[in-house]
Amino acid sequence: MLRMKNLYAPTLKEDPADADIASHKLLLRAGMLRKTASGVYTFLPLGYRVLKKIENIVREEMDATGAYEILMPALQPSELWLESGRWDDYGPELMRLNDRHDRGFCLGPTHEELITALVRDELRSYKQLPLTLYQIQVKFRDEIRPRFGLLRSREFIMKDAYSFHDGQESLQETYDQMSDAYARICERCALDWRAVEADSGQIGGKVTTEFMALADSGEAELVYCDCGYSANTEAGECIPHPTTYEETELKKIETPDVHTIEELAEFLSIPESSTVKALSGKDADGNVSVLFIPGDHELNEIKACRVMEGFQLLTDEEMTSLGLHKGSMGPVNLPDGMRIIADSSLKGIPQWVVGANEDGFHFVGAAPGRDFQVDAWADLCVVKPQDACPECGCSLKGARGIEVSQVFQLGTKYSESMGATFLDKDGKERPFYMGCYGVGVSRTLAAIVEQHNDENGIKWPLAVAPAHVCVIPLQVGDDLVQPKAEEIADACAQLGFEVAIDDRDERAGVKFADADLIGWPLQIIVGKRGLAEGKVEVKRRLTGERSEFMIDALPELLAFANRKMRNMNKGGVTIFSGMFS
Ligand code: ATP
Ligand code: MG
């Protein structure tokens, strides 16, 4: 039983000054979390209880897939990272340090290198495959902007799993199984979530899905469609709707003081989608191209990298030295040797409204094929709401999300670079196919709070609540109230509920406020006045509803609630809904 008197859960009346979003403020105010340094936190008893519950949900779902739990060190030798090539690629986010012998180490931001090295000498035969290992462990990333409390911290808890296969088919099978497990984890944590197409970023590989908890405070932008399609805007295919500007002649027009698409559209009184935006960039070899996209869209640099390896936007100085005019670049009269790459959607636009490569001038009626040649067409834009769904053509909707987890098919990226092979049926040496799968456990905790709170505090879903019931005696030390409260708390505990008792000698108002702030799903309030009539009060945090019950009826009600809780836990639905109804 949790006794509030000596439980270390110092609650705060006011929002801490540097807490930026609901989950951050509430976890601090409810005495669950304390900041140690920027992006580094201590979990206090109540916060740690919730964290362990989430860990256990994750653990159960991983075990159910047949994966085995291990624990790797956070401290990783640099040699392994040099082998994979990521010692150089990872950049300043990797926390590096030297030991007393001046040997290089890092604090693991992820564990592909370590696990590949772990299995490469001893997992040798196709007969041992497939194999999935996972751990729940602390990770370190020196984030450029640690913020939003547990959502983007520098030290955090992750569940990371890695799978090894003899080929793509087996990898796909485990990947699908893991995706299902991730969906169940989101459900059991009572998240409102979506699985979205994603970009594989640092990790590499081709196929990946992110699991997003929907929240306005989320850093990720998503698009989705009623047909079931959804994508991170970083990764989603983009089908914009550029509009034609009726002008068939190539005409140079004076556009004084027009530097941006917004100004150009306003100057010509046309929508931004009728203009063409130009951006210049260079590839890894220094070859320069100018990229053209519909004026109402943004360039997706990840997609630009697909058509120009190592793509980088030119700086203002580079543009000037190459004779390019920022704010009026266009495809007609470009300096020699520059390629023209255009968004595929512009194929349907016979005349472009676009810069004239001369300050203060633009062209209208610039026709591809007639006035200039496009060297390559490609998908280049960041997808946004109202673009066409790539699967059904309907208008996409937009939302924001918190990436709580992600699954990846890595293929042979690490096994090849690190020489991790097995012997196939024919005794031939082949690299493993690998998958990796990460759940942000501490980020999930914050995401749950983002979705389950009100102006009074947190509303924990049952499956992750620090305890299910809090018994609140209003007159501590009273001969009747105190023993009765203890008795009820014991009865609850015996039924299998996790119970807290607010045995602090505090005013009723303080206890009620703290109970709501901490967010126990159920409060049982025991007071002198009620007891005189043989009654206690029960409050459900989810709905705020308070009702009186005869004490004699309590055991039966609790037994009923308990049966419901057990069923709910099995089925994964986790909120005390209709508990006493
Ligand atoms: P992000 O794009 O948000 O930086 P990521 O894609 O780099 O995250 P992964 O490498 O996919 O992260 O790590 C797996 C999971 O670990 C993420 O889905 C997320 O839940 C969690 N995670 C990653 N970075 C952080 C962080 N700085 N703080 C808390 N959790 C994190
Ligand atoms: Mg990710």
Side-chain angles (χ1 to χ4, degrees):
M1 194 170 325
L2 306 173
R3 292 188 171 276
M4 295 289 286
K5 201 153 86 180
N6 60 0
L7 176 74
Y8 192 61
T11 54
L12 310 170
K13 277 214 185 67
E14 306 291 331
D15 286 338
D18 59 348
D20 25 29
I21 55 171
S23 59
H24 191 191
K25 287 178 195 164
L26 290 173
L27 288 167
L28 292 169
R29 281 190 50 206
M32 298 196 175
L33 195 71
R34 284 295 178 264
K35 178 170 150 184
T36 302
S38 166
V40 181
Y41 293 90
T42 298
F43 289 88
L44 300 186
L46 293 179
Y48 192 43
R49 285 178 71 87
V50 177
L51 189 77
K52 283 189 288 187
K53 291 205 170 173
I54 300 170
E55 284 183 8
N56 276 336
I57 289 174
V58 173
R59 187 172 278 123
E60 279 174 24
E61 293 299 338
M62 285 300 104
D63 291 348
T65 68
Y68 292 100
E69 187 169 7
I70 60 173
L71 183 59
M72 291 183 270
L75 195 62
Q76 305 188 13
S78 59
E79 294 95 79
L80 296 178
W81 287 72
L82 286 163
E83 270 187 59
S84 73
R86 284 207 292 186
W87 188 254
D88 296 323
D89 291 351
Y90 215 95
E93 240 180 59
L94 189 64
M95 296 251 192
R96 300 161 207 250
L97 62 157
N98 286 344
D99 71 5
R100 64 171 76 201
H101 307 294
D102 219 25
R103 280 191 285 252
F105 284 85
C106 66
L107 296 175
T110 175
H111 279 67
E112 284 79 12
E113 281 77 2
L114 219 118
I115 195 129
T116 307
L118 178 80
V119 303
R120 69 177 156 192
D121 297 325
E122 292 177 288
L123 188 65
R124 293 294 295 147
S125 162
Y126 72 95
K127 290 181 198 154
Q128 296 163 281
L129 300 175
L131 172 73
T132 306
L133 300 173
Y134 76 96
Q135 63 173 347
I136 298 174
Q137 195 227 26
V138 66
K139 295 279 187 278
F140 298 86
R141 295 185 185 179
D142 200 357
E143 298 277 356
I144 186 164
R145 230 174 284 116
R147 55 187 179 154
F148 302 152
L150 296 178
L151 287 182
R152 186 165 297 285
S153 46
R154 298 196 295 166
E155 176 176 330
F156 57 96
I157 307 292
M158 197 203 287
K159 185 285 300 178
D160 44 331
Y162 306 87
S163 67
F164 298 87
H165 309 270
D166 60 4
Q168 176 60 33
E169 201 179 317
S170 164
L171 169 57
Q172 186 69 46
E173 214 169 281
T174 298
Y175 179 85
D176 292 342
Q177 235 180 0
M178 283 288 167
S179 302
D180 291 347
Y182 276 30
R184 280 193 299 274
I185 291 167
C186 289
E187 284 295 315
R188 290 181 62 181
C189 291
L191 288 173
D192 180 11
W193 64 280
R194 259 171 211 283
V196 303
E197 258 180 36
D199 173 67
S200 60
Q202 253 312 331
I203 303 264
K206 287 208 177 70
V207 185
T208 172
T209 304
E210 284 168 344
F211 292 79
M212 296 280 180
L214 300 183
D216 290 338
S217 54
E219 292 181 278
E221 284 181 57
L222 327 175
V223 286
Y224 65 95
C225 177
D226 293 337
C227 78
Y229 174 81
S230 47
N232 190 321
T233 56
E234 274 183 6
E237 192 180 333
C238 179
I239 307 173
H241 306 289
T243 47
T244 309
Y245 175 65
E246 296 300 340
E247 182 60 64
T248 49
E249 293 295 309
L250 178 68
K251 241 194 261 171
K252 187 148 95 175
I253 52 168
E254 206 171 337
T255 49
D257 297 327
V258 168
H259 303 288
T260 65
I261 288 291
E262 200 186 344
E263 288 162 356
L264 180 62
E266 203 184 307
F267 183 82
L268 294 172
S269 302
I270 58 175
E272 291 185 10
S273 58
S274 294
T275 66
V276 174
K277 189 187 279 187
L279 298 112
S280 53
K282 58 179 180 188
D283 66 13
D285 297 326
N287 301 312
V288 174
S289 298
V290 182
L291 284 63
F292 294 91
I293 59 176
D296 62 339
H297 278 71
E298 298 300 325
L299 178 71
N300 182 327
E301 294 190 29
I302 299 168
K303 291 181 181 174
C305 281
R306 289 188 204 136
V307 282
M308 291 172 69
E309 213 188 312
F311 175 86
Q312 270 187 318
L313 284 169
L314 295 186
T315 61
D316 289 0
E317 294 77 51
E318 283 173 322
M319 278 163 59
T320 311
S321 73
L322 288 165
L324 289 169
H325 297 261
K326 190 181 178 184
S328 59
M329 278 188 290
V332 183
N333 303 332
L334 266 180
D336 284 346
M338 290 185 191
R339 274 163 55 86
I340 293 179
I341 305 177
D343 189 73
S344 304
S345 66
L346 293 173
K347 268 188 199 167
I349 300 298
Q351 293 90 30
W352 295 9
V353 175
V354 72
N357 292 316
E358 200 177 327
D359 283 335
F361 290 92
H362 281 78
F363 278 124
V364 295
R370 182 189 71 190
D371 303 319
F372 61 91
Q373 299 300 327
V374 173
D375 297 297
W377 300 95
D379 175 10
L380 293 175
C381 299
V382 180
V383 60
K384 59 179 196 178
Q386 267 92 57
D387 288 341
C389 168
E391 281 182 9
C392 74
C394 290
S395 191
L396 289 169
K397 300 185 184 96
R400 299 190 73 86
I402 298 165
E403 179 202 320
V404 287
S405 52
Q406 186 164 17
V407 291
F408 297 92
Q409 294 192 19
L410 295 168
T412 55
K413 177 180 158 114
Y414 293 92
S415 49
E416 279 187 26
S417 61
M418 298 183 65
T421 59
F422 66 98
L423 296 174
D424 70 8
K425 275 198 185 75
D426 308 318
K428 232 178 93 194
E429 194 132 348
R430 294 204 321 192
F432 294 112
Y433 276 66
M434 288 173 60
C436 73
Y437 319 89
V439 175
V441 178
S442 46
R443 184 183 280 184
T444 297
L445 191 156
I448 295 170
V449 179
E450 280 300 306
Q451 289 189 355
H452 299 275
N453 73 75
D454 64 13
E455 66 283 2
N456 296 325
I458 304 173
K459 305 203 279 194
W460 288 112
L462 191 60
V464 298
H468 305 126
V469 181
C470 181
V471 179
I472 306 175
L474 294 183
Q475 296 85 14
V476 170
D478 181 89
D479 291 351
L480 277 177
V481 172
Q482 183 70 26
K484 200 69 198 170
E486 296 282 349
E487 193 186 305
I488 291 171
D490 282 339
C492 289
Q494 255 160 36
L495 277 164
F497 289 108
E498 292 169 17
V499 189
I501 184 162
D502 194 347
D503 52 0
R504 297 174 301 168
D505 191 7
E506 286 284 1
R507 284 184 297 114
V510 171
K511 291 188 177 190
F512 292 152
D514 280 352
D516 280 358
L517 179 60
I518 290 169
W520 317 105
L522 208 68
Q523 302 166 21
I524 300 179
I525 301 147
V526 186
K528 235 181 189 162
R529 205 154 21 132
L531 281 191
E533 298 170 26
K535 285 179 187 162
V536 293
E537 204 177 357
V538 174
K539 177 175 175 182
R540 283 173 54 200
R541 180 68 181 92
L542 184 65
T543 58
E545 195 184 312
R546 292 169 82 130
S547 21
E548 288 193 325
F549 285 91
M550 297 306 291
I551 292 178
D552 297 343
L554 209 53
E556 206 178 311
L557 284 162
L558 287 171
F560 174 70
N562 192 257
R563 279 198 301 279
K564 268 193 116 154
M565 177 173 84
R566 288 180 192 288
N567 286 338
M568 281 192 279
N569 272 354
K570 258 189 248 152
V573 183
T574 45
I575 300 173
F576 254 126
S577 59
M579 171 163 165
F580 289 110
S581 56

